[in-house]
Amino acid sequence: MKILVTGASGFVGRNLCVYLKELGHEVVAVVRCHTRPVDGIHWVVLGSIDENTVWAPSLLQVDVVIHLAARAHILHERTEDPLSEFRAANTYPIEKLVHDSIKAGVKRFIFVSSIGVNGARTAGSPFKASDPVSPHSPYAVSKFEAELILERLAIDSAMDFIILRPPLIYGIDAPGNVRLLSGMIRHKIPIPFGAVSNRRSFIAIDNLVSVIGLCLTHPKALNKVILPSDGVDLSTREFIEIIGLINGRTAFIVSVYPLVLDLFLRLIGKRKVSESLLCDLQVDSQYLFEDLGWVAVFNAVSYTHLTLPTIYSV
């Protein structure tokens, strides 16, 4: 199978390209600028990816497109109009890519969106794919708008689509908050989340690329929105422990009352950080486990000494 991957130089992209190559697929890895190549993968440097990108030469005889390219992990936003920036990178380019993919005869289009499309937090019950959406940030809005474009164009074509909305993705060299936590662990900086008992869903990079691999051929994945996860929910404290173990270190976790943490983070203008570290965000991955028959390749429970409540057998 010939597969085109956009955003191939990113954290998910590089791991996915290696995984697809190991499965025996022919991989066309699309990047914006020159990067360290991976042997056995065809790298295509397109420059900027926007609504005018010429995709046709890269789509020749491609069976599946996996669209990862996005503007994300902006820890310190400096633009005056973030939504416009996110739309320019995440929303507008997909229309041309989908249109050209349909014209080239691509059979399946897999779009990696974000659980942020559903919302920033849950209260009592996990997010389901069928729930009304509530994008909580400019990034999530841009991703949802891209989903709508994909569905609108694909529904009247011979090309099938799959939308994945993963929660936080973690693993070695993961960006964003995971990188920040990894740095604190390596430098033995006290991390004050020992008293936090929230429940959050995550997905390991090995699990995400495995889910994408399953979606390449599974007939029950077609034209679905799927919420992938590890199949277990962790507190922020438990997640930090796992990040430490993955990095071969023991996290220095101390206990600070969550209300104090919340107040402090809000006072310094980090309301969204407080929400992501202290609140619940659970996803219902039942369709993935039960209907698609997926089995996690990385088991967060067996990897640690933790005794965690499983949602689905992994």
Side-chain angles (χ1 to χ4, degrees):
M1 187 179 292
K2 188 174 182 180
I3 303 170
L4 182 143
V5 179
T6 72
S9 61
F11 170 62
V12 176
R14 292 190 75 87
N15 281 277
L16 178 62
C17 287
V18 171
Y19 177 75
L20 295 174
K21 175 194 167 190
E22 290 173 349
L23 291 180
H25 296 296
E26 181 182 354
V27 181
V28 179
V30 175
V31 294
R32 290 186 174 91
C33 56
H34 289 282
T35 186
R36 178 171 54 87
V38 176
D39 290 341
I41 292 173
H42 178 53
W43 291 83
V44 176
V45 180
L46 280 185
S48 62
I49 296 177
D50 54 33
E51 61 268 35
N52 299 311
T53 299
V54 178
W55 292 100
S58 303
L59 289 167
L60 289 174
Q61 298 183 318
V62 165
D63 300 294
V64 179
V65 169
I66 303 172
H67 185 41
L68 302 173
R71 181 180 191 260
H73 308 298
I74 311 298
L75 295 180
H76 304 289
E77 184 64 73
R78 292 182 173 86
T79 63
E80 293 183 3
D81 187 0
L83 181 55
S84 292
E85 295 289 333
F86 280 114
R87 281 175 168 156
N90 302 346
T91 305
Y92 304 143
I94 198 172
E95 184 157 9
K96 182 68 159 46
L97 175 56
V98 173
H99 180 272
D100 288 0
S101 297
I102 293 170
K103 188 175 181 180
V106 171
K107 300 177 181 68
R108 193 170 296 198
F109 193 108
I110 301 173
F111 176 47
V112 178
S113 184
S114 167
I115 195 58
V117 170
N118 286 79
R121 59 193 293 182
T122 52
S125 60
F127 284 135
K128 295 180 173 62
S130 58
D131 288 342
V133 300
S134 181
H136 73 286
S137 67
Y139 169 72
V141 169
S142 70
K143 283 289 194 174
F144 177 56
E145 291 174 345
E147 290 183 15
L148 293 177
I149 291 171
L150 170 58
E151 291 187 60
R152 172 173 56 83
L153 295 177
I155 203 71
D156 294 323
S157 77
M159 185 180 75
D160 295 306
F161 69 89
I162 299 160
I163 295 170
L164 300 175
R165 294 179 188 162
L168 182 66
I169 305 162
Y170 66 96
I172 296 294
D173 295 327
N177 286 329
V178 177
R179 178 174 293 162
L180 181 63
L181 288 172
S182 297
M184 294 176 72
I185 292 168
R186 284 195 302 272
H187 292 93
K188 299 182 180 180
I189 297 172
I191 305 175
F193 296 104
V196 177
S197 58
N198 57 344
R199 309 311 297 171
R200 297 185 70 87
S201 300
F202 302 92
I203 188 163
I205 184 60
D206 289 349
N207 285 339
L208 179 60
V209 299
S210 172
V211 170
I212 295 173
L214 179 69
C215 289
L216 293 175
T217 57
H218 204 301
K220 289 187 177 181
L222 298 181
N223 306 319
K224 298 287 186 182
V225 174
I226 298 171
L227 310 186
S229 73
D230 286 342
V232 299
D233 290 340
L234 308 171
S235 68
T236 297
R237 176 188 61 80
E238 292 164 338
F239 178 67
I240 292 169
E241 287 188 30
I242 289 177
I243 295 302
L245 291 170
I246 288 174
N247 284 278
R249 306 291 179 91
T250 299
F252 181 15
I253 302 174
V254 297
S255 295
V256 175
Y257 196 53
L259 285 178
V260 175
L261 286 173
D262 180 54
L263 178 61
F264 172 74
L265 289 169
R266 289 174 183 273
L267 285 174
I268 62 172
K270 301 293 183 181
R271 179 185 60 82
K272 289 184 178 179
V273 173
S274 175
E275 201 167 47
S276 66
L277 292 172
L278 303 178
C279 297
D280 294 344
L281 196 162
Q282 298 170 280
V283 305
D284 183 342
S285 300
Q286 180 177 2
Y287 189 81
L288 175 63
F289 283 94
E290 296 187 358
D291 293 74
L292 301 188
W294 180 71
V295 178
V297 296
F298 177 90
N299 189 319
V301 176
S302 63
Y303 191 75
T304 75
H305 67 281
L306 301 171
T307 302
L308 303 173
T310 59
I311 303 175
Y312 305 107
S313 175
V314 296

